[in-house]
Short mmCIF file of all heavy atoms in Angstrom, two decimals:
data_model
loop_
_atom_site.label_atom_id
_atom_site.label_comp_id
_atom_site.label_asym_id
_atom_site.label_seq_id
_atom_site.Cartn_x
_atom_site.Cartn_y
_atom_site.Cartn_z
N MET A 1 84.92 94.23 98.16
CA MET A 1 84.93 95.48 97.44
C MET A 1 86.06 96.36 97.98
O MET A 1 86.22 96.51 99.19
CB MET A 1 83.60 96.19 97.62
CG MET A 1 83.54 97.54 97.00
SD MET A 1 81.87 98.20 97.20
CE MET A 1 82.23 99.90 97.07
N VAL A 2 86.85 96.94 97.12
CA VAL A 2 87.93 97.84 97.50
C VAL A 2 87.57 99.25 97.06
O VAL A 2 87.15 99.46 95.93
CB VAL A 2 89.27 97.42 96.86
CG1 VAL A 2 90.36 98.42 97.18
CG2 VAL A 2 89.67 96.02 97.32
N VAL A 3 87.71 100.20 97.97
CA VAL A 3 87.47 101.61 97.65
C VAL A 3 88.81 102.32 97.72
O VAL A 3 89.53 102.20 98.71
CB VAL A 3 86.48 102.23 98.65
CG1 VAL A 3 86.28 103.70 98.36
CG2 VAL A 3 85.15 101.49 98.62
N THR A 4 89.17 103.07 96.66
CA THR A 4 90.44 103.79 96.61
C THR A 4 90.18 105.27 96.39
O THR A 4 89.40 105.64 95.53
CB THR A 4 91.32 103.26 95.47
OG1 THR A 4 91.51 101.84 95.65
CG2 THR A 4 92.68 103.93 95.45
N THR A 5 90.85 106.12 97.19
CA THR A 5 90.70 107.56 97.06
C THR A 5 91.64 108.08 95.98
O THR A 5 92.54 107.37 95.52
CB THR A 5 91.04 108.28 98.37
OG1 THR A 5 92.44 108.14 98.63
CG2 THR A 5 90.24 107.74 99.53
N ALA A 6 91.46 109.33 95.61
CA ALA A 6 92.34 109.96 94.63
C ALA A 6 93.78 110.02 95.14
O ALA A 6 94.73 110.04 94.36
CB ALA A 6 91.85 111.36 94.30
N GLY A 7 93.96 110.03 96.46
CA GLY A 7 95.30 110.06 97.05
C GLY A 7 95.97 108.70 97.09
O GLY A 7 97.10 108.58 97.54
N GLY A 8 95.28 107.65 96.65
CA GLY A 8 95.87 106.33 96.61
C GLY A 8 95.61 105.47 97.85
O GLY A 8 96.09 104.35 97.94
N TYR A 9 94.82 105.98 98.80
CA TYR A 9 94.48 105.19 99.98
C TYR A 9 93.28 104.32 99.67
O TYR A 9 92.41 104.69 98.90
CB TYR A 9 94.14 106.11 101.17
CG TYR A 9 95.36 106.83 101.69
CD1 TYR A 9 95.75 108.06 101.16
CD2 TYR A 9 96.13 106.28 102.70
CE1 TYR A 9 96.87 108.72 101.63
CE2 TYR A 9 97.25 106.93 103.17
CZ TYR A 9 97.61 108.15 102.64
OH TYR A 9 98.72 108.79 103.10
N SER A 10 93.27 103.12 100.27
CA SER A 10 92.17 102.22 99.99
C SER A 10 91.75 101.47 101.25
O SER A 10 92.48 101.42 102.24
CB SER A 10 92.57 101.22 98.90
OG SER A 10 93.63 100.40 99.36
N CYS A 11 90.56 100.91 101.19
CA CYS A 11 90.07 100.07 102.28
C CYS A 11 89.23 98.95 101.67
O CYS A 11 88.72 99.07 100.56
CB CYS A 11 89.26 100.87 103.30
SG CYS A 11 87.76 101.58 102.63
N SER A 12 89.12 97.88 102.40
CA SER A 12 88.31 96.76 101.94
C SER A 12 87.96 95.89 103.14
O SER A 12 88.53 96.04 104.22
CB SER A 12 89.07 95.92 100.91
OG SER A 12 90.17 95.29 101.52
N THR A 13 87.02 95.01 102.95
CA THR A 13 86.69 94.05 103.99
C THR A 13 87.62 92.86 103.85
O THR A 13 88.14 92.58 102.76
CB THR A 13 85.24 93.59 103.88
OG1 THR A 13 85.04 93.02 102.58
CG2 THR A 13 84.27 94.75 104.09
N SER A 14 87.86 92.17 104.96
CA SER A 14 88.77 91.04 104.93
C SER A 14 88.40 90.05 106.02
O SER A 14 87.95 90.43 107.09
CB SER A 14 90.20 91.52 105.16
OG SER A 14 91.07 90.41 105.30
N THR A 15 88.61 88.81 105.75
CA THR A 15 88.44 87.77 106.76
C THR A 15 89.78 87.12 107.09
O THR A 15 89.84 86.21 107.89
CB THR A 15 87.45 86.69 106.28
OG1 THR A 15 87.93 86.14 105.05
CG2 THR A 15 86.06 87.28 106.08
N SER A 16 90.86 87.61 106.47
CA SER A 16 92.17 86.97 106.66
C SER A 16 92.86 87.42 107.95
O SER A 16 93.76 86.74 108.43
CB SER A 16 93.07 87.25 105.46
OG SER A 16 93.33 88.64 105.35
N LEU A 17 92.46 88.56 108.50
CA LEU A 17 93.06 89.04 109.75
C LEU A 17 92.03 88.98 110.87
O LEU A 17 90.88 89.39 110.67
CB LEU A 17 93.56 90.48 109.60
CG LEU A 17 94.67 90.69 108.58
CD1 LEU A 17 94.97 92.18 108.43
CD2 LEU A 17 95.92 89.95 109.01
N PRO A 18 92.41 88.50 112.03
CA PRO A 18 91.45 88.42 113.13
C PRO A 18 91.16 89.82 113.71
O PRO A 18 91.99 90.71 113.67
CB PRO A 18 92.15 87.55 114.16
CG PRO A 18 93.61 87.77 113.90
CD PRO A 18 93.72 87.98 112.42
N TYR A 19 89.97 89.98 114.23
CA TYR A 19 89.60 91.21 114.92
C TYR A 19 90.35 91.25 116.25
O TYR A 19 90.40 90.27 116.99
CB TYR A 19 88.09 91.24 115.17
CG TYR A 19 87.65 92.38 116.03
CD1 TYR A 19 87.58 93.67 115.51
CD2 TYR A 19 87.34 92.19 117.37
CE1 TYR A 19 87.19 94.74 116.30
CE2 TYR A 19 86.95 93.25 118.17
CZ TYR A 19 86.87 94.53 117.62
OH TYR A 19 86.49 95.57 118.41
N VAL A 20 90.96 92.39 116.56
CA VAL A 20 91.66 92.56 117.82
C VAL A 20 90.95 93.65 118.61
O VAL A 20 90.93 94.82 118.20
CB VAL A 20 93.14 92.95 117.60
CG1 VAL A 20 93.84 93.17 118.93
CG2 VAL A 20 93.85 91.89 116.78
N ALA A 21 90.34 93.28 119.71
CA ALA A 21 89.60 94.25 120.53
C ALA A 21 90.57 95.14 121.28
O ALA A 21 91.64 94.70 121.70
CB ALA A 21 88.71 93.51 121.51
N GLY A 22 90.20 96.39 121.45
CA GLY A 22 91.01 97.30 122.25
C GLY A 22 90.95 96.94 123.72
O GLY A 22 90.01 96.28 124.17
N ASP A 23 91.96 97.36 124.46
CA ASP A 23 91.98 97.04 125.89
C ASP A 23 92.14 98.29 126.76
O ASP A 23 92.34 98.19 127.96
CB ASP A 23 93.07 96.02 126.20
CG ASP A 23 94.46 96.53 125.83
OD1 ASP A 23 94.60 97.69 125.39
OD2 ASP A 23 95.41 95.75 125.97
N THR A 24 92.02 99.46 126.16
CA THR A 24 92.15 100.71 126.90
C THR A 24 90.82 101.44 126.86
O THR A 24 90.34 101.82 125.80
CB THR A 24 93.25 101.61 126.28
OG1 THR A 24 94.47 100.87 126.25
CG2 THR A 24 93.44 102.87 127.09
N LEU A 25 90.23 101.64 128.02
CA LEU A 25 88.96 102.34 128.13
C LEU A 25 89.22 103.84 128.17
O LEU A 25 90.07 104.32 128.90
CB LEU A 25 88.23 101.91 129.40
CG LEU A 25 86.89 102.59 129.65
CD1 LEU A 25 85.89 102.24 128.56
CD2 LEU A 25 86.35 102.16 131.01
N ASN A 26 88.47 104.57 127.36
CA ASN A 26 88.56 106.02 127.35
C ASN A 26 87.41 106.58 128.15
O ASN A 26 86.27 106.20 127.95
CB ASN A 26 88.50 106.54 125.91
CG ASN A 26 88.71 108.02 125.84
OD1 ASN A 26 87.89 108.77 126.35
ND2 ASN A 26 89.77 108.44 125.21
N ALA A 27 87.67 107.49 129.06
CA ALA A 27 86.64 108.02 129.96
C ALA A 27 85.89 109.21 129.37
O ALA A 27 85.20 109.93 130.09
CB ALA A 27 87.29 108.41 131.29
N LEU A 28 85.98 109.45 128.09
CA LEU A 28 85.33 110.59 127.45
C LEU A 28 83.81 110.42 127.47
O LEU A 28 83.28 109.41 127.00
CB LEU A 28 85.82 110.73 126.01
CG LEU A 28 85.28 111.89 125.20
CD1 LEU A 28 85.69 113.21 125.83
CD2 LEU A 28 85.76 111.80 123.77
N THR A 29 83.10 111.38 128.04
CA THR A 29 81.63 111.35 128.08
C THR A 29 81.10 112.75 127.87
O THR A 29 81.85 113.73 127.90
CB THR A 29 81.12 110.83 129.44
OG1 THR A 29 81.56 111.72 130.47
CG2 THR A 29 81.60 109.43 129.74
N GLY A 30 79.80 112.86 127.72
CA GLY A 30 79.15 114.15 127.61
C GLY A 30 78.83 114.53 126.18
O GLY A 30 79.03 113.76 125.25
N ASP A 31 78.35 115.75 126.01
CA ASP A 31 78.00 116.26 124.70
C ASP A 31 79.00 117.35 124.33
O ASP A 31 79.41 118.14 125.17
CB ASP A 31 76.59 116.84 124.72
CG ASP A 31 76.13 117.27 123.34
OD1 ASP A 31 76.55 116.63 122.35
OD2 ASP A 31 75.35 118.23 123.25
N ASP A 32 79.40 117.36 123.08
CA ASP A 32 80.36 118.35 122.57
C ASP A 32 81.70 118.29 123.31
O ASP A 32 82.38 119.30 123.46
CB ASP A 32 79.79 119.76 122.64
CG ASP A 32 78.55 119.94 121.78
OD1 ASP A 32 78.45 119.24 120.76
OD2 ASP A 32 77.69 120.77 122.13
N ALA A 33 82.09 117.11 123.76
CA ALA A 33 83.36 116.94 124.46
C ALA A 33 84.37 116.26 123.54
O ALA A 33 83.99 115.57 122.59
CB ALA A 33 83.17 116.09 125.72
N TYR A 34 85.64 116.50 123.80
CA TYR A 34 86.68 115.84 123.01
C TYR A 34 87.93 115.67 123.86
O TYR A 34 88.09 116.33 124.88
CB TYR A 34 86.99 116.61 121.73
CG TYR A 34 87.48 118.02 121.94
CD1 TYR A 34 88.83 118.29 122.12
CD2 TYR A 34 86.59 119.09 121.95
CE1 TYR A 34 89.28 119.59 122.31
CE2 TYR A 34 87.03 120.38 122.14
CZ TYR A 34 88.37 120.62 122.32
OH TYR A 34 88.83 121.89 122.51
N THR A 35 88.77 114.76 123.43
CA THR A 35 90.03 114.52 124.11
C THR A 35 91.08 114.08 123.08
O THR A 35 90.72 113.58 122.01
CB THR A 35 89.90 113.45 125.21
OG1 THR A 35 91.08 113.42 126.00
CG2 THR A 35 89.65 112.06 124.63
N THR A 36 92.33 114.29 123.41
CA THR A 36 93.40 113.83 122.55
C THR A 36 93.88 112.47 123.02
O THR A 36 94.14 112.27 124.20
CB THR A 36 94.57 114.84 122.56
OG1 THR A 36 94.08 116.09 122.09
CG2 THR A 36 95.71 114.38 121.66
N LEU A 37 93.99 111.54 122.10
CA LEU A 37 94.42 110.18 122.39
C LEU A 37 95.80 109.95 121.80
O LEU A 37 96.08 110.38 120.68
CB LEU A 37 93.46 109.17 121.77
CG LEU A 37 91.99 109.28 122.13
CD1 LEU A 37 91.18 108.31 121.30
CD2 LEU A 37 91.80 109.02 123.61
N THR A 38 96.65 109.26 122.52
CA THR A 38 97.93 108.82 121.99
C THR A 38 97.69 107.53 121.22
O THR A 38 97.12 106.58 121.75
CB THR A 38 98.95 108.59 123.12
OG1 THR A 38 99.11 109.81 123.84
CG2 THR A 38 100.28 108.12 122.58
N LEU A 39 98.10 107.49 119.98
CA LEU A 39 97.91 106.30 119.16
C LEU A 39 98.94 105.24 119.52
O LEU A 39 100.08 105.58 119.86
CB LEU A 39 98.02 106.66 117.67
CG LEU A 39 97.00 107.70 117.18
CD1 LEU A 39 97.30 108.05 115.73
CD2 LEU A 39 95.59 107.19 117.35
N PRO A 40 98.59 103.96 119.44
CA PRO A 40 99.53 102.89 119.82
C PRO A 40 100.59 102.60 118.75
O PRO A 40 101.43 101.74 118.94
CB PRO A 40 98.61 101.68 120.03
CG PRO A 40 97.44 101.94 119.15
CD PRO A 40 97.26 103.44 119.14
N PHE A 41 100.54 103.32 117.64
CA PHE A 41 101.50 103.14 116.56
C PHE A 41 101.50 104.41 115.71
O PHE A 41 100.55 105.20 115.76
CB PHE A 41 101.14 101.93 115.68
CG PHE A 41 99.71 101.95 115.21
CD1 PHE A 41 99.35 102.64 114.05
CD2 PHE A 41 98.71 101.30 115.92
CE1 PHE A 41 98.04 102.67 113.61
CE2 PHE A 41 97.39 101.32 115.50
CZ PHE A 41 97.07 102.01 114.34
N ALA A 42 102.56 104.62 114.97
CA ALA A 42 102.63 105.77 114.06
C ALA A 42 101.64 105.54 112.92
O ALA A 42 101.58 104.46 112.34
CB ALA A 42 104.04 105.93 113.52
N PHE A 43 100.84 106.55 112.62
CA PHE A 43 99.79 106.42 111.60
C PHE A 43 100.08 107.34 110.43
O PHE A 43 99.92 108.56 110.54
CB PHE A 43 98.43 106.76 112.22
CG PHE A 43 97.28 106.49 111.29
CD1 PHE A 43 96.76 105.22 111.17
CD2 PHE A 43 96.72 107.52 110.55
CE1 PHE A 43 95.69 104.97 110.32
CE2 PHE A 43 95.66 107.28 109.70
CZ PHE A 43 95.15 106.00 109.58
N PRO A 44 100.54 106.80 109.30
CA PRO A 44 100.81 107.64 108.12
C PRO A 44 99.50 107.96 107.40
O PRO A 44 98.68 107.08 107.17
CB PRO A 44 101.71 106.78 107.26
CG PRO A 44 101.37 105.38 107.63
CD PRO A 44 100.94 105.41 109.07
N TYR A 45 99.30 109.24 107.07
CA TYR A 45 98.05 109.65 106.42
C TYR A 45 98.29 110.87 105.55
O TYR A 45 98.67 111.93 106.05
CB TYR A 45 96.98 109.93 107.47
CG TYR A 45 95.61 110.22 106.91
CD1 TYR A 45 94.89 109.23 106.26
CD2 TYR A 45 95.05 111.47 107.06
CE1 TYR A 45 93.62 109.49 105.76
CE2 TYR A 45 93.78 111.74 106.57
CZ TYR A 45 93.08 110.75 105.92
OH TYR A 45 91.83 111.00 105.42
N HIS A 46 98.13 110.74 104.26
CA HIS A 46 98.27 111.81 103.28
C HIS A 46 99.55 112.62 103.47
O HIS A 46 99.54 113.85 103.57
CB HIS A 46 97.05 112.73 103.30
CG HIS A 46 95.83 112.09 102.71
ND1 HIS A 46 95.61 112.03 101.36
CD2 HIS A 46 94.78 111.46 103.30
CE1 HIS A 46 94.47 111.40 101.13
NE2 HIS A 46 93.95 111.03 102.29
N GLY A 47 100.67 111.93 103.55
CA GLY A 47 101.97 112.58 103.58
C GLY A 47 102.49 112.98 104.95
O GLY A 47 103.60 113.49 105.07
N SER A 48 101.71 112.77 106.00
CA SER A 48 102.15 113.08 107.36
C SER A 48 102.00 111.82 108.21
O SER A 48 101.20 110.95 107.88
CB SER A 48 101.33 114.20 107.98
OG SER A 48 101.53 115.41 107.27
N THR A 49 102.75 111.75 109.29
CA THR A 49 102.63 110.62 110.22
C THR A 49 102.21 111.18 111.56
O THR A 49 102.78 112.14 112.06
CB THR A 49 103.97 109.87 110.34
OG1 THR A 49 104.33 109.39 109.03
CG2 THR A 49 103.84 108.69 111.28
N TYR A 50 101.19 110.57 112.14
CA TYR A 50 100.59 111.07 113.38
C TYR A 50 100.81 110.09 114.53
O TYR A 50 100.77 108.89 114.34
CB TYR A 50 99.10 111.30 113.17
CG TYR A 50 98.82 112.31 112.10
CD1 TYR A 50 98.60 111.91 110.79
CD2 TYR A 50 98.79 113.66 112.39
CE1 TYR A 50 98.37 112.84 109.79
CE2 TYR A 50 98.56 114.60 111.40
CZ TYR A 50 98.35 114.19 110.10
OH TYR A 50 98.13 115.10 109.12
N SER A 51 101.02 110.65 115.73
CA SER A 51 101.16 109.83 116.93
C SER A 51 100.00 110.06 117.89
O SER A 51 99.91 109.42 118.93
CB SER A 51 102.49 110.15 117.64
OG SER A 51 102.51 111.51 118.01
N SER A 52 99.10 110.99 117.53
CA SER A 52 97.93 111.25 118.36
C SER A 52 96.77 111.67 117.47
O SER A 52 96.96 112.06 116.32
CB SER A 52 98.22 112.34 119.40
OG SER A 52 98.48 113.56 118.76
N ALA A 53 95.57 111.61 118.03
CA ALA A 53 94.37 112.03 117.32
C ALA A 53 93.39 112.59 118.35
O ALA A 53 93.44 112.23 119.52
CB ALA A 53 93.74 110.86 116.58
N THR A 54 92.52 113.48 117.90
CA THR A 54 91.48 114.03 118.76
C THR A 54 90.19 113.29 118.48
O THR A 54 89.77 113.17 117.33
CB THR A 54 91.31 115.53 118.50
OG1 THR A 54 92.55 116.18 118.73
CG2 THR A 54 90.26 116.12 119.42
N LEU A 55 89.55 112.80 119.55
CA LEU A 55 88.31 112.04 119.46
C LEU A 55 87.20 112.87 120.10
O LEU A 55 87.38 113.45 121.16
CB LEU A 55 88.46 110.71 120.21
CG LEU A 55 87.23 109.83 120.31
CD1 LEU A 55 86.82 109.33 118.92
CD2 LEU A 55 87.49 108.67 121.25
N SER A 56 86.03 112.92 119.44
CA SER A 56 84.90 113.71 119.91
C SER A 56 83.72 112.81 120.25
O SER A 56 83.50 111.78 119.61
CB SER A 56 84.48 114.69 118.82
OG SER A 56 83.21 115.24 119.10
N THR A 57 82.93 113.24 121.23
CA THR A 57 81.69 112.52 121.55
C THR A 57 80.63 112.74 120.48
O THR A 57 79.60 112.07 120.48
CB THR A 57 81.12 112.96 122.91
OG1 THR A 57 80.92 114.38 122.89
CG2 THR A 57 82.03 112.57 124.05
N ASN A 58 80.88 113.65 119.54
CA ASN A 58 79.96 113.87 118.43
C ASN A 58 80.25 112.96 117.24
O ASN A 58 79.63 113.09 116.20
CB ASN A 58 80.00 115.33 117.99
CG ASN A 58 79.42 116.25 119.05
OD1 ASN A 58 78.61 115.84 119.86
ND2 ASN A 58 79.86 117.49 119.06
N GLY A 59 81.24 112.07 117.38
CA GLY A 59 81.47 111.07 116.36
C GLY A 59 82.56 111.38 115.34
O GLY A 59 82.60 110.77 114.30
N TRP A 60 83.46 112.31 115.64
CA TRP A 60 84.52 112.58 114.68
C TRP A 60 85.89 112.34 115.30
O TRP A 60 86.06 112.37 116.50
CB TRP A 60 84.44 113.99 114.09
CG TRP A 60 84.34 115.14 115.05
CD1 TRP A 60 83.22 115.80 115.42
CD2 TRP A 60 85.41 115.77 115.76
NE1 TRP A 60 83.51 116.80 116.31
CE2 TRP A 60 84.88 116.80 116.54
CE3 TRP A 60 86.79 115.55 115.83
CZ2 TRP A 60 85.63 117.62 117.36
CZ3 TRP A 60 87.54 116.37 116.67
CH2 TRP A 60 86.96 117.38 117.41
N LEU A 61 86.83 112.08 114.42
CA LEU A 61 88.23 111.88 114.78
C LEU A 61 89.06 112.82 113.91
O LEU A 61 88.79 112.94 112.72
CB LEU A 61 88.64 110.42 114.50
CG LEU A 61 90.08 110.06 114.83
CD1 LEU A 61 90.20 109.79 116.33
CD2 LEU A 61 90.52 108.86 114.05
N SER A 62 90.02 113.52 114.50
CA SER A 62 90.82 114.48 113.76
C SER A 62 92.28 114.35 114.13
O SER A 62 92.61 114.06 115.27
CB SER A 62 90.34 115.90 114.08
OG SER A 62 91.18 116.86 113.48
N PHE A 63 93.15 114.58 113.16
CA PHE A 63 94.58 114.59 113.43
C PHE A 63 95.08 116.02 113.67
O PHE A 63 96.22 116.23 114.01
CB PHE A 63 95.35 113.95 112.28
CG PHE A 63 95.02 112.49 112.13
CD1 PHE A 63 94.36 112.04 111.02
CD2 PHE A 63 95.37 111.59 113.11
CE1 PHE A 63 94.04 110.70 110.87
CE2 PHE A 63 95.06 110.24 112.99
CZ PHE A 63 94.38 109.79 111.86
N ALA A 64 94.22 117.01 113.48
CA ALA A 64 94.58 118.41 113.71
C ALA A 64 94.30 118.78 115.17
O ALA A 64 93.43 118.19 115.82
CB ALA A 64 93.79 119.32 112.79
N ALA A 65 95.03 119.75 115.69
CA ALA A 65 94.79 120.23 117.05
C ALA A 65 93.40 120.86 117.11
O ALA A 65 92.99 121.58 116.21
CB ALA A 65 95.84 121.24 117.44
N GLN A 66 92.66 120.59 118.17
CA GLN A 66 91.30 121.11 118.31
C GLN A 66 91.22 122.12 119.44
O GLN A 66 91.94 122.03 120.43
CB GLN A 66 90.33 119.96 118.59
CG GLN A 66 90.26 118.96 117.47
CD GLN A 66 89.80 119.57 116.18
OE1 GLN A 66 88.78 120.26 116.12
NE2 GLN A 66 90.54 119.35 115.10
N THR A 67 90.31 123.05 119.29
CA THR A 67 89.98 124.00 120.36
C THR A 67 88.48 124.00 120.53
O THR A 67 87.73 123.56 119.64
CB THR A 67 90.47 125.42 120.03
OG1 THR A 67 89.85 125.83 118.82
CG2 THR A 67 91.98 125.45 119.88
N SER A 68 88.02 124.49 121.64
CA SER A 68 86.57 124.49 121.90
C SER A 68 85.85 125.52 121.06
O SER A 68 86.42 126.40 120.48
CB SER A 68 86.29 124.74 123.35
OG SER A 68 86.86 125.94 123.79
#
């Protein structure tokens, strides 16, 4: 099944590419905590390209700068 957004982005399941496990452990712990991660590649998303993302222990990922 392929899902496509109004912006033209899509995702689907695939068995043609192998799963590649990450090898960098992030030490982020606690509640309501977040950290900025450097991405291992340039990530194009809705007209912008990002080299970092903010990861939260509450389960969200953001490309915008975060404050507490």
Side-chain angles (χ1 to χ4, degrees):
M1 176 176 156
V2 176
V3 177
T4 304
T5 68
Y9 290 88
S10 64
C11 64
S12 67
T13 58
S14 173
T15 57
S16 63
L17 297 174
Y19 172 76
V20 178
D23 60 4
T24 304
L25 179 64
N26 184 295
L28 181 63
T29 62
D31 186 32
D32 297 331
Y34 60 88
T35 191
T36 300
L37 304 173
T38 301
L39 300 175
F41 51 86
F43 187 82
Y45 186 67
H46 288 279
S48 295
T49 301
Y50 299 93
S51 61
S52 65
T54 302
L55 176 66
S56 166
T57 56
N58 292 335
W60 52 261
L61 180 81
S62 174
F63 296 113
Q66 298 299 310
T67 59
S68 57

